[in-house]
Amino acid sequence: MTSSRPYIIRALYEWIVENDCTPYLLVDATRQGVEVPSQYVKEGQIVLNVSPGAVVDLNIANDWISFNGRFGGTATDILVPVQAIIGIYARENGQGMVFEAEDTPPPEGPDEPPTGSNGSPSGSAPAGGKPESRPALKIVR
């Protein structure tokens, strides 16, 4: 199944803009494929203002986010793999979402079966013979 991250990013982006707020992307600048001005990276992360007035040609695709933005008055092409997005939020109130770390799996060969998160073939039980437990939600009061 494809990642839900790009769909969530697009939906939150629209929601933030429609509510007259400024969408910011928090990016892990250490991830492979991230092309951002290194002088603005702090502790391996960069915050990008992706509001319609701040960027040109914003494209939030399923694998990449790209746009042209200004840094220190210089127009710069930005390219960020979706997996490098740590979060998206509104500058004015902090509302948005932070994503869990998502490892990009290595490409599987044509003769290899797809594998589950535990490395065993999809749909099979782990080595112990017991199926993985599903995540559980907990009510916090």
Side-chain angles (χ1 to χ4, degrees):
M1 183 174 264
T2 61
S3 173
S4 61
R5 188 175 294 203
Y7 300 92
I8 293 168
I9 292 169
R10 284 190 290 267
L12 285 171
Y13 175 85
E14 287 182 29
W15 175 70
I16 292 167
V17 170
E18 284 179 11
N19 283 283
D20 296 321
C21 291
T22 309
Y24 276 10
L25 292 176
L26 178 59
V27 176
D28 178 353
T30 65
R31 296 288 296 249
Q32 185 176 350
V34 174
E35 295 181 17
V36 296
S38 60
Q39 64 269 32
Y40 295 97
V41 174
K42 303 280 190 246
E43 297 180 13
Q45 299 178 348
I46 188 169
V47 176
L48 302 170
N49 175 350
V50 290
S51 65
V55 301
V56 177
D57 297 329
L58 176 65
N59 182 17
I60 305 174
N62 287 347
D63 296 323
W64 297 91
I65 296 177
S66 62
F67 61 90
N68 185 279
R70 290 192 146 330
F71 290 85
T74 303
T76 307
D77 288 327
I78 303 299
L79 187 62
V80 178
V82 168
Q83 273 64 33
I85 302 297
I86 297 170
I88 179 171
Y89 62 95
R91 179 192 69 187
E92 292 78 5
N93 57 22
Q95 290 190 357
M97 179 178 279
V98 174
F99 299 101
E100 289 184 17
E102 188 176 283
D103 290 329
T104 306
E108 296 174 344
D111 297 326
E112 297 174 4
T115 57
S117 61
N118 62 3
S120 63
S122 294
S124 68
K130 195 166 128 186
E132 287 185 60
S133 63
R134 297 177 68 184
L137 296 176
K138 181 178 176 183
I139 297 176
V140 180
R141 296 178 193 229

